[in-house]
Short mmCIF file of all heavy atoms in Angstrom, two decimals:
data_model
loop_
_atom_site.label_atom_id
_atom_site.label_comp_id
_atom_site.label_asym_id
_atom_site.label_seq_id
_atom_site.Cartn_x
_atom_site.Cartn_y
_atom_site.Cartn_z
N GLU A 1 0.83 -1.20 0.00
CA GLU A 1 -0.01 -0.01 0.00
C GLU A 1 0.87 1.26 0.00
O GLU A 1 0.68 2.14 -0.84
CB GLU A 1 -0.91 -0.03 1.23
CG GLU A 1 -2.04 0.92 1.18
CD GLU A 1 -2.95 0.73 2.38
OE1 GLU A 1 -3.30 -0.40 2.71
OE2 GLU A 1 -3.33 1.77 2.94
N ILE A 2 1.81 1.29 0.94
CA ILE A 2 2.73 2.45 0.96
C ILE A 2 3.61 2.51 -0.28
O ILE A 2 3.84 3.55 -0.88
CB ILE A 2 3.60 2.44 2.23
CG1 ILE A 2 2.75 2.77 3.45
CG2 ILE A 2 4.76 3.43 2.14
CD1 ILE A 2 3.47 2.77 4.76
N ARG A 3 4.06 1.30 -0.72
CA ARG A 3 4.90 1.26 -1.91
C ARG A 3 4.19 1.84 -3.13
O ARG A 3 4.75 2.63 -3.87
CB ARG A 3 5.28 -0.19 -2.17
CG ARG A 3 6.10 -0.38 -3.43
CD ARG A 3 6.34 -1.82 -3.72
NE ARG A 3 5.04 -2.45 -3.85
CZ ARG A 3 4.87 -3.68 -4.39
NH1 ARG A 3 5.92 -4.37 -4.72
NH2 ARG A 3 3.69 -4.19 -4.50
N HIS A 4 2.93 1.48 -3.32
CA HIS A 4 2.15 1.99 -4.44
C HIS A 4 1.95 3.49 -4.31
O HIS A 4 2.08 4.24 -5.29
CB HIS A 4 0.81 1.27 -4.51
CG HIS A 4 -0.08 1.75 -5.62
ND1 HIS A 4 0.21 1.50 -6.92
CD2 HIS A 4 -1.21 2.51 -5.56
CE1 HIS A 4 -0.75 2.08 -7.67
NE2 HIS A 4 -1.60 2.68 -6.86
N MET A 5 1.63 3.95 -3.11
CA MET A 5 1.40 5.36 -2.84
C MET A 5 2.68 6.18 -3.13
O MET A 5 2.62 7.23 -3.79
CB MET A 5 0.98 5.54 -1.41
CG MET A 5 0.41 6.86 -1.07
SD MET A 5 -0.36 6.91 0.59
CE MET A 5 1.01 6.38 1.63
N VAL A 6 3.82 5.67 -2.68
CA VAL A 6 5.11 6.39 -2.91
C VAL A 6 5.48 6.39 -4.38
O VAL A 6 5.89 7.38 -4.93
CB VAL A 6 6.23 5.78 -2.04
CG1 VAL A 6 7.57 6.30 -2.45
CG2 VAL A 6 5.95 6.04 -0.56
N ALA A 7 5.26 5.24 -5.06
CA ALA A 7 5.55 5.15 -6.49
C ALA A 7 4.72 6.15 -7.27
O ALA A 7 5.17 6.86 -8.16
CB ALA A 7 5.32 3.76 -6.98
N LYS A 8 3.44 6.25 -6.95
CA LYS A 8 2.53 7.17 -7.61
C LYS A 8 2.93 8.63 -7.31
O LYS A 8 2.95 9.44 -8.21
CB LYS A 8 1.11 6.89 -7.16
CG LYS A 8 0.09 7.72 -7.88
CD LYS A 8 -1.33 7.33 -7.45
CE LYS A 8 -2.34 8.21 -8.16
NZ LYS A 8 -3.72 7.90 -7.74
N GLY A 9 3.26 8.91 -6.06
CA GLY A 9 3.60 10.27 -5.68
C GLY A 9 4.94 10.76 -6.24
O GLY A 9 5.10 11.94 -6.54
N THR A 10 5.89 9.82 -6.39
CA THR A 10 7.21 10.26 -6.83
C THR A 10 7.44 10.04 -8.34
O THR A 10 8.35 10.56 -8.93
CB THR A 10 8.32 9.46 -6.13
OG1 THR A 10 8.16 8.10 -6.38
CG2 THR A 10 8.32 9.75 -4.64
N GLY A 11 6.57 9.20 -8.93
CA GLY A 11 6.72 8.87 -10.36
C GLY A 11 7.82 7.84 -10.59
O GLY A 11 8.20 7.59 -11.73
N LYS A 12 8.31 7.24 -9.51
CA LYS A 12 9.35 6.20 -9.63
C LYS A 12 8.72 4.83 -9.72
O LYS A 12 7.62 4.58 -9.25
CB LYS A 12 10.30 6.26 -8.41
CG LYS A 12 10.95 7.60 -8.22
CD LYS A 12 11.66 8.10 -9.43
CE LYS A 12 12.22 9.48 -9.27
NZ LYS A 12 12.47 10.16 -10.51
N HIS A 13 9.43 3.94 -10.37
CA HIS A 13 8.90 2.56 -10.55
C HIS A 13 8.86 1.83 -9.24
O HIS A 13 9.72 2.00 -8.37
CB HIS A 13 9.83 1.82 -11.54
CG HIS A 13 9.17 0.62 -12.12
ND1 HIS A 13 9.12 -0.56 -11.45
CD2 HIS A 13 8.56 0.45 -13.33
CE1 HIS A 13 8.47 -1.46 -12.21
NE2 HIS A 13 8.13 -0.87 -13.33
N GLU A 14 7.84 0.98 -9.08
CA GLU A 14 7.71 0.21 -7.85
C GLU A 14 8.91 -0.71 -7.55
O GLU A 14 9.15 -0.99 -6.37
CB GLU A 14 6.39 -0.60 -7.84
CG GLU A 14 5.20 0.34 -7.62
CD GLU A 14 3.89 -0.42 -7.38
OE1 GLU A 14 3.95 -1.55 -6.88
OE2 GLU A 14 2.84 0.12 -7.73
N LEU A 15 9.60 -1.15 -8.58
CA LEU A 15 10.78 -1.97 -8.35
C LEU A 15 11.91 -1.19 -7.64
O LEU A 15 12.60 -1.72 -6.81
CB LEU A 15 11.30 -2.54 -9.68
CG LEU A 15 10.43 -3.62 -10.33
CD1 LEU A 15 11.01 -4.03 -11.66
CD2 LEU A 15 10.29 -4.82 -9.41
N ALA A 16 12.02 0.08 -7.99
CA ALA A 16 13.00 0.93 -7.28
C ALA A 16 12.59 1.13 -5.85
O ALA A 16 13.43 1.07 -4.94
CB ALA A 16 13.11 2.29 -7.98
N ILE A 17 11.29 1.31 -5.59
CA ILE A 17 10.78 1.44 -4.22
C ILE A 17 11.05 0.19 -3.45
O ILE A 17 11.48 0.22 -2.29
CB ILE A 17 9.26 1.78 -4.24
CG1 ILE A 17 8.89 2.94 -5.17
CG2 ILE A 17 8.73 1.94 -2.82
CD1 ILE A 17 9.45 4.27 -4.76
N ASP A 18 10.81 -0.98 -4.09
CA ASP A 18 11.07 -2.29 -3.44
C ASP A 18 12.51 -2.43 -3.05
O ASP A 18 12.83 -2.91 -1.95
CB ASP A 18 10.70 -3.46 -4.37
CG ASP A 18 9.23 -3.77 -4.36
OD1 ASP A 18 8.53 -3.34 -3.43
OD2 ASP A 18 8.80 -4.48 -5.28
N ALA A 19 13.43 -2.02 -3.92
CA ALA A 19 14.86 -2.12 -3.62
C ALA A 19 15.22 -1.31 -2.42
O ALA A 19 15.95 -1.76 -1.52
CB ALA A 19 15.68 -1.72 -4.84
N VAL A 20 14.71 -0.07 -2.35
CA VAL A 20 14.98 0.81 -1.24
C VAL A 20 14.37 0.22 0.06
O VAL A 20 15.01 0.17 1.11
CB VAL A 20 14.40 2.21 -1.53
CG1 VAL A 20 14.51 3.09 -0.26
CG2 VAL A 20 15.14 2.86 -2.67
N LEU A 21 13.16 -0.26 -0.05
CA LEU A 21 12.47 -0.83 1.09
C LEU A 21 13.22 -2.04 1.63
O LEU A 21 13.44 -2.15 2.86
CB LEU A 21 11.06 -1.21 0.70
CG LEU A 21 10.05 -1.57 1.77
CD1 LEU A 21 9.98 -0.47 2.81
CD2 LEU A 21 8.70 -1.83 1.17
N ASP A 22 13.71 -2.93 0.75
CA ASP A 22 14.46 -4.09 1.19
C ASP A 22 15.75 -3.68 1.92
O ASP A 22 16.09 -4.25 2.96
CB ASP A 22 14.85 -4.97 0.02
CG ASP A 22 13.65 -5.76 -0.55
OD1 ASP A 22 12.64 -5.87 0.17
OD2 ASP A 22 13.77 -6.27 -1.67
N GLU A 23 16.44 -2.68 1.37
CA GLU A 23 17.69 -2.23 2.00
C GLU A 23 17.41 -1.55 3.36
O GLU A 23 18.14 -1.74 4.32
CB GLU A 23 18.41 -1.23 1.09
CG GLU A 23 19.06 -1.96 -0.09
CD GLU A 23 19.97 -1.06 -0.88
OE1 GLU A 23 20.50 -0.07 -0.30
OE2 GLU A 23 20.15 -1.30 -2.06
N MET A 24 16.31 -0.77 3.44
CA MET A 24 15.94 -0.14 4.72
C MET A 24 15.59 -1.18 5.76
O MET A 24 16.02 -1.05 6.92
CB MET A 24 14.79 0.85 4.51
CG MET A 24 15.21 2.06 3.73
SD MET A 24 13.77 3.14 3.36
CE MET A 24 13.40 3.80 4.96
N ILE A 25 14.83 -2.18 5.40
CA ILE A 25 14.44 -3.24 6.33
C ILE A 25 15.67 -3.99 6.83
O ILE A 25 15.83 -4.22 8.04
CB ILE A 25 13.42 -4.19 5.69
CG1 ILE A 25 12.08 -3.47 5.52
CG2 ILE A 25 13.25 -5.43 6.55
CD1 ILE A 25 11.07 -4.21 4.65
N THR A 26 16.54 -4.34 5.90
CA THR A 26 17.76 -5.06 6.28
C THR A 26 18.62 -4.25 7.26
O THR A 26 19.11 -4.75 8.24
CB THR A 26 18.58 -5.43 5.03
OG1 THR A 26 17.81 -6.23 4.16
CG2 THR A 26 19.86 -6.13 5.39
N ARG A 27 18.79 -2.97 6.94
CA ARG A 27 19.60 -2.13 7.77
C ARG A 27 18.98 -1.93 9.16
O ARG A 27 19.69 -1.93 10.17
CB ARG A 27 19.81 -0.76 7.10
CG ARG A 27 20.84 0.09 7.79
CD ARG A 27 22.20 -0.50 7.70
NE ARG A 27 23.15 0.43 8.29
CZ ARG A 27 24.22 0.06 9.01
NH1 ARG A 27 24.49 -1.22 9.16
NH2 ARG A 27 25.00 0.94 9.55
N CYS A 28 17.67 -1.80 9.22
CA CYS A 28 16.99 -1.62 10.51
C CYS A 28 17.14 -2.90 11.34
O CYS A 28 17.33 -2.83 12.55
CB CYS A 28 15.50 -1.32 10.29
SG CYS A 28 15.21 0.37 9.74
N TRP A 29 17.07 -4.09 10.71
CA TRP A 29 17.29 -5.35 11.43
C TRP A 29 18.73 -5.40 11.96
O TRP A 29 18.93 -5.83 13.13
CB TRP A 29 17.03 -6.55 10.52
CG TRP A 29 15.59 -6.94 10.50
CD1 TRP A 29 14.70 -6.65 9.50
CD2 TRP A 29 14.87 -7.68 11.50
NE1 TRP A 29 13.48 -7.19 9.82
CE2 TRP A 29 13.55 -7.84 11.02
CE3 TRP A 29 15.24 -8.25 12.71
CZ2 TRP A 29 12.59 -8.49 11.78
CZ3 TRP A 29 14.28 -8.92 13.43
CH2 TRP A 29 12.99 -9.03 12.96
N GLN A 30 19.69 -5.00 11.16
CA GLN A 30 21.08 -5.03 11.55
C GLN A 30 21.31 -4.11 12.76
O GLN A 30 22.05 -4.48 13.68
CB GLN A 30 22.00 -4.56 10.41
CG GLN A 30 22.09 -5.57 9.29
CD GLN A 30 22.82 -4.95 8.09
OE1 GLN A 30 23.08 -3.75 8.00
NE2 GLN A 30 23.20 -5.82 7.14
N LEU A 31 20.70 -2.96 12.77
CA LEU A 31 20.87 -1.97 13.87
C LEU A 31 19.88 -2.23 15.01
O LEU A 31 19.93 -1.52 16.01
CB LEU A 31 20.72 -0.58 13.31
CG LEU A 31 21.74 -0.15 12.28
CD1 LEU A 31 21.39 1.23 11.71
CD2 LEU A 31 23.13 -0.14 12.88
N ARG A 32 19.00 -3.19 14.82
CA ARG A 32 17.96 -3.49 15.83
C ARG A 32 17.13 -2.27 16.15
O ARG A 32 16.82 -1.97 17.35
CB ARG A 32 18.55 -4.09 17.08
CG ARG A 32 19.27 -5.38 16.80
CD ARG A 32 19.91 -5.94 18.03
NE ARG A 32 20.76 -7.09 17.63
CZ ARG A 32 20.78 -8.18 18.36
NH1 ARG A 32 20.06 -8.31 19.45
NH2 ARG A 32 21.55 -9.17 17.98
N LEU A 33 16.73 -1.51 15.14
CA LEU A 33 15.96 -0.29 15.31
C LEU A 33 14.48 -0.63 15.52
O LEU A 33 13.97 -1.55 14.95
CB LEU A 33 16.10 0.62 14.11
CG LEU A 33 17.49 1.13 13.82
CD1 LEU A 33 17.49 2.00 12.56
CD2 LEU A 33 18.04 1.92 15.00
N ARG A 34 13.81 0.18 16.32
CA ARG A 34 12.41 0.02 16.56
C ARG A 34 11.76 1.40 16.49
O ARG A 34 12.40 2.40 16.91
CB ARG A 34 12.10 -0.59 17.94
CG ARG A 34 12.69 -1.98 18.13
CD ARG A 34 11.94 -2.97 17.21
NE ARG A 34 12.47 -4.36 17.39
CZ ARG A 34 13.31 -4.87 16.52
NH1 ARG A 34 13.75 -4.21 15.51
NH2 ARG A 34 13.74 -6.10 16.69
N ALA A 35 10.54 1.48 16.03
CA ALA A 35 9.84 2.76 15.92
C ALA A 35 8.90 2.90 17.09
O ALA A 35 8.24 1.94 17.49
CB ALA A 35 9.08 2.80 14.58
N VAL A 36 8.80 4.13 17.59
CA VAL A 36 7.91 4.42 18.71
C VAL A 36 7.00 5.59 18.28
O VAL A 36 7.48 6.55 17.69
CB VAL A 36 8.73 4.81 19.97
CG1 VAL A 36 7.77 5.17 21.10
CG2 VAL A 36 9.65 3.70 20.36
N GLY A 37 5.72 5.45 18.54
CA GLY A 37 4.78 6.52 18.24
C GLY A 37 3.45 5.96 17.76
O GLY A 37 3.30 4.72 17.70
N SER A 38 2.58 6.85 17.41
CA SER A 38 1.27 6.40 16.95
C SER A 38 1.40 5.81 15.54
O SER A 38 2.23 6.25 14.71
CB SER A 38 0.29 7.56 16.93
OG SER A 38 0.59 8.49 15.90
N LYS A 39 0.58 4.84 15.24
CA LYS A 39 0.63 4.16 13.95
C LYS A 39 0.41 5.11 12.78
O LYS A 39 1.16 5.07 11.79
CB LYS A 39 -0.37 3.02 13.90
CG LYS A 39 -0.31 2.19 12.61
CD LYS A 39 -1.25 1.07 12.65
CE LYS A 39 -1.18 0.26 11.38
NZ LYS A 39 -2.06 -0.89 11.36
N SER A 40 -0.52 6.02 12.91
CA SER A 40 -0.84 6.94 11.82
C SER A 40 0.37 7.86 11.55
O SER A 40 0.68 8.15 10.40
CB SER A 40 -2.10 7.71 12.09
OG SER A 40 -1.97 8.49 13.28
N ARG A 41 0.98 8.38 12.60
CA ARG A 41 2.10 9.28 12.44
C ARG A 41 3.31 8.53 11.86
O ARG A 41 4.05 9.05 11.04
CB ARG A 41 2.47 9.92 13.79
CG ARG A 41 3.55 10.95 13.70
CD ARG A 41 3.10 12.11 12.85
NE ARG A 41 4.27 12.90 12.48
CZ ARG A 41 4.25 13.85 11.62
NH1 ARG A 41 3.14 14.17 10.98
NH2 ARG A 41 5.34 14.52 11.33
N LEU A 42 3.54 7.31 12.34
CA LEU A 42 4.66 6.52 11.82
C LEU A 42 4.48 6.22 10.34
O LEU A 42 5.46 6.24 9.57
CB LEU A 42 4.78 5.22 12.62
CG LEU A 42 5.33 5.33 14.03
CD1 LEU A 42 5.21 4.04 14.78
CD2 LEU A 42 6.76 5.84 14.06
N LEU A 43 3.26 5.92 9.91
CA LEU A 43 3.03 5.65 8.51
C LEU A 43 3.31 6.84 7.62
O LEU A 43 3.94 6.75 6.55
CB LEU A 43 1.57 5.17 8.28
CG LEU A 43 1.28 3.77 8.75
CD1 LEU A 43 -0.23 3.47 8.69
CD2 LEU A 43 2.06 2.75 7.97
N VAL A 44 2.90 8.02 8.09
CA VAL A 44 3.16 9.26 7.33
C VAL A 44 4.63 9.52 7.26
O VAL A 44 5.21 9.78 6.16
CB VAL A 44 2.41 10.44 7.94
CG1 VAL A 44 2.86 11.78 7.32
CG2 VAL A 44 0.90 10.30 7.75
N ASP A 45 5.32 9.47 8.42
CA ASP A 45 6.76 9.70 8.44
C ASP A 45 7.53 8.69 7.58
O ASP A 45 8.47 9.06 6.89
CB ASP A 45 7.28 9.66 9.89
CG ASP A 45 6.83 10.85 10.69
OD1 ASP A 45 6.36 11.85 10.11
OD2 ASP A 45 6.99 10.79 11.95
N PHE A 46 7.09 7.42 7.66
CA PHE A 46 7.78 6.39 6.88
C PHE A 46 7.58 6.59 5.38
O PHE A 46 8.52 6.45 4.59
CB PHE A 46 7.32 5.00 7.29
CG PHE A 46 8.00 3.91 6.52
CD1 PHE A 46 9.34 3.65 6.72
CD2 PHE A 46 7.32 3.20 5.54
CE1 PHE A 46 10.01 2.69 5.95
CE2 PHE A 46 7.99 2.23 4.81
CZ PHE A 46 9.33 1.97 5.03
N ALA A 47 6.36 6.97 5.00
CA ALA A 47 6.08 7.22 3.56
C ALA A 47 6.94 8.37 3.04
O ALA A 47 7.51 8.30 1.91
CB ALA A 47 4.60 7.54 3.35
N ILE A 48 7.13 9.40 3.85
CA ILE A 48 7.97 10.56 3.47
C ILE A 48 9.43 10.10 3.33
O ILE A 48 10.13 10.44 2.37
CB ILE A 48 7.84 11.69 4.45
CG1 ILE A 48 6.43 12.29 4.38
CG2 ILE A 48 8.93 12.77 4.24
CD1 ILE A 48 6.07 13.23 5.50
N LEU A 49 9.92 9.34 4.29
CA LEU A 49 11.30 8.86 4.25
C LEU A 49 11.50 7.92 3.06
O LEU A 49 12.52 8.04 2.32
CB LEU A 49 11.63 8.09 5.53
CG LEU A 49 13.01 7.47 5.60
CD1 LEU A 49 14.13 8.52 5.54
CD2 LEU A 49 13.15 6.63 6.87
N LEU A 50 10.59 7.03 2.81
CA LEU A 50 10.71 6.12 1.68
C LEU A 50 10.68 6.88 0.35
O LEU A 50 11.47 6.55 -0.55
CB LEU A 50 9.60 5.08 1.72
CG LEU A 50 9.59 3.99 0.66
CD1 LEU A 50 10.91 3.21 0.66
CD2 LEU A 50 8.39 3.08 0.80
N ALA A 51 9.87 7.87 0.23
CA ALA A 51 9.81 8.71 -0.98
C ALA A 51 11.16 9.39 -1.20
O ALA A 51 11.70 9.38 -2.32
CB ALA A 51 8.69 9.70 -0.88
N ALA A 52 11.68 10.00 -0.15
CA ALA A 52 12.97 10.72 -0.28
C ALA A 52 14.10 9.76 -0.67
O ALA A 52 14.90 10.05 -1.56
CB ALA A 52 13.31 11.45 1.03
N ARG A 53 14.18 8.63 -0.01
CA ARG A 53 15.22 7.66 -0.27
C ARG A 53 15.10 7.05 -1.68
O ARG A 53 16.10 6.76 -2.32
CB ARG A 53 15.29 6.57 0.77
CG ARG A 53 15.64 7.06 2.14
CD ARG A 53 17.07 7.58 2.11
NE ARG A 53 17.45 8.01 3.43
CZ ARG A 53 18.50 8.67 3.71
NH1 ARG A 53 19.33 9.01 2.76
NH2 ARG A 53 18.76 9.04 4.95
N SER A 54 13.88 6.85 -2.13
CA SER A 54 13.63 6.30 -3.45
C SER A 54 14.09 7.22 -4.56
O SER A 54 14.72 6.82 -5.52
CB SER A 54 12.16 5.96 -3.65
OG SER A 54 11.75 5.03 -2.69
N VAL A 55 13.79 8.52 -4.39
CA VAL A 55 14.26 9.48 -5.36
C VAL A 55 15.75 9.54 -5.37
O VAL A 55 16.37 9.59 -6.45
CB VAL A 55 13.60 10.90 -5.05
CG1 VAL A 55 14.23 11.97 -5.92
CG2 VAL A 55 12.10 10.84 -5.28
N GLU A 56 16.34 9.57 -4.18
CA GLU A 56 17.81 9.57 -4.09
C GLU A 56 18.42 8.28 -4.71
O GLU A 56 19.42 8.41 -5.43
CB GLU A 56 18.22 9.67 -2.61
CG GLU A 56 19.71 9.72 -2.39
CD GLU A 56 20.06 9.83 -0.91
OE1 GLU A 56 19.19 9.68 -0.06
OE2 GLU A 56 21.25 9.94 -0.66
N TYR A 57 17.79 7.17 -4.51
CA TYR A 57 18.26 5.91 -5.07
C TYR A 57 18.29 5.95 -6.59
O TYR A 57 19.32 5.55 -7.21
CB TYR A 57 17.34 4.81 -4.61
CG TYR A 57 17.62 3.43 -5.13
CD1 TYR A 57 18.59 2.62 -4.56
CD2 TYR A 57 16.89 2.91 -6.21
CE1 TYR A 57 18.84 1.34 -5.05
CE2 TYR A 57 17.17 1.64 -6.69
CZ TYR A 57 18.13 0.86 -6.11
OH TYR A 57 18.36 -0.40 -6.59
N VAL A 58 17.21 6.43 -7.17
CA VAL A 58 17.16 6.52 -8.62
C VAL A 58 18.13 7.57 -9.17
O VAL A 58 18.81 7.35 -10.16
CB VAL A 58 15.71 6.82 -9.07
CG1 VAL A 58 15.66 7.11 -10.57
CG2 VAL A 58 14.80 5.64 -8.73
N TYR A 59 18.22 8.71 -8.48
CA TYR A 59 19.08 9.78 -8.91
C TYR A 59 20.56 9.42 -8.85
O TYR A 59 21.32 9.65 -9.77
CB TYR A 59 18.80 11.02 -8.07
CG TYR A 59 19.72 12.20 -8.38
CD1 TYR A 59 19.60 12.95 -9.55
CD2 TYR A 59 20.74 12.57 -7.50
CE1 TYR A 59 20.42 13.96 -9.86
CE2 TYR A 59 21.57 13.64 -7.79
CZ TYR A 59 21.40 14.32 -8.96
OH TYR A 59 22.23 15.34 -9.25
N ARG A 60 20.98 8.82 -7.72
CA ARG A 60 22.38 8.50 -7.50
C ARG A 60 22.81 7.17 -8.03
O ARG A 60 24.00 6.92 -8.15
CB ARG A 60 22.72 8.55 -6.00
CG ARG A 60 22.73 9.92 -5.42
CD ARG A 60 23.29 9.88 -4.04
NE ARG A 60 23.34 11.20 -3.50
CZ ARG A 60 23.92 11.48 -2.36
NH1 ARG A 60 24.42 10.55 -1.63
NH2 ARG A 60 23.95 12.71 -1.93
N GLY A 61 21.90 6.30 -8.21
CA GLY A 61 22.24 4.95 -8.59
C GLY A 61 22.21 4.09 -7.34
O GLY A 61 21.65 4.43 -6.32
N ARG A 62 22.89 2.96 -7.38
CA ARG A 62 22.78 2.02 -6.30
C ARG A 62 23.88 2.18 -5.22
O ARG A 62 23.97 1.35 -4.37
CB ARG A 62 22.82 0.58 -6.87
CG ARG A 62 21.63 0.36 -7.77
CD ARG A 62 21.70 -1.01 -8.43
NE ARG A 62 20.77 -1.10 -9.48
CZ ARG A 62 19.55 -1.56 -9.39
NH1 ARG A 62 19.08 -1.96 -8.25
NH2 ARG A 62 18.76 -1.62 -10.43
N ASN A 63 24.69 3.20 -5.33
CA ASN A 63 25.76 3.41 -4.37
C ASN A 63 25.35 4.36 -3.24
O ASN A 63 25.75 5.48 -3.18
CB ASN A 63 26.99 3.96 -5.08
CG ASN A 63 27.51 3.01 -6.13
OD1 ASN A 63 27.48 1.80 -5.93
ND2 ASN A 63 28.01 3.57 -7.22
N TRP A 64 24.53 3.86 -2.34
CA TRP A 64 24.08 4.67 -1.21
C TRP A 64 23.71 3.74 -0.07
O TRP A 64 23.66 2.54 -0.23
CB TRP A 64 22.89 5.54 -1.62
CG TRP A 64 21.67 4.76 -1.85
CD1 TRP A 64 21.40 3.97 -2.96
CD2 TRP A 64 20.54 4.59 -1.00
NE1 TRP A 64 20.21 3.36 -2.82
CE2 TRP A 64 19.64 3.69 -1.64
CE3 TRP A 64 20.22 5.13 0.23
CZ2 TRP A 64 18.45 3.35 -1.06
CZ3 TRP A 64 19.00 4.76 0.79
CH2 TRP A 64 18.15 3.88 0.13
N HIS A 65 23.43 4.34 1.09
CA HIS A 65 23.05 3.51 2.26
C HIS A 65 21.64 3.86 2.66
O HIS A 65 21.26 5.03 2.64
CB HIS A 65 24.03 3.79 3.41
CG HIS A 65 25.43 3.35 3.11
ND1 HIS A 65 25.79 2.03 3.05
CD2 HIS A 65 26.48 4.07 2.76
CE1 HIS A 65 27.08 1.96 2.72
NE2 HIS A 65 27.52 3.19 2.53
N ALA A 66 20.89 2.87 3.07
CA ALA A 66 19.47 3.05 3.40
C ALA A 66 19.30 3.90 4.64
O ALA A 66 18.37 4.67 4.74
CB ALA A 66 18.80 1.70 3.55
N VAL A 67 20.12 3.72 5.65
CA VAL A 67 19.96 4.47 6.90
C VAL A 67 21.28 5.08 7.28
O VAL A 67 22.30 4.51 7.13
CB VAL A 67 19.41 3.60 8.04
CG1 VAL A 67 19.31 4.35 9.32
CG2 VAL A 67 18.06 3.02 7.65
#
């Protein structure tokens, strides 16, 4: 749902969004990160972060870090 929304909002392909999402999830697991806050606020913040990272991913290529 968020992937589709971010792809539509940024104009980037869902495969690029998937790649960013996979890297972000992996990095969060490695760092044992957890999110705290209301679900609605976390979803909005995450969608914004995913959109920004996806645009950066496409613009810079694959040489970047998710977090």
Side-chain angles (χ1 to χ4, degrees):
E1 195 174 316
I2 288 179
R3 178 185 59 165
H4 178 71
M5 194 170 55
V6 169
K8 185 177 179 182
T10 61
K12 304 305 175 200
H13 198 279
E14 286 190 28
L15 290 175
I17 308 295
D18 277 344
V20 172
L21 193 53
D22 286 344
E23 288 188 26
M24 289 175 72
I25 290 169
T26 300
R27 189 67 176 143
C28 286
W29 274 102
Q30 290 171 346
L31 297 174
R32 298 176 189 223
L33 298 178
R34 299 291 179 260
V36 178
S38 71
K39 184 176 180 178
S40 60
R41 185 64 195 169
L42 289 172
L43 287 172
V44 170
D45 289 345
F46 181 70
I48 292 168
L49 177 62
L50 183 59
R53 294 297 182 190
S54 298
V55 170
E56 183 180 6
Y57 177 83
V58 171
Y59 176 73
R60 288 189 177 188
R62 299 176 193 268
N63 298 324
W64 69 287
H65 297 286
V67 176

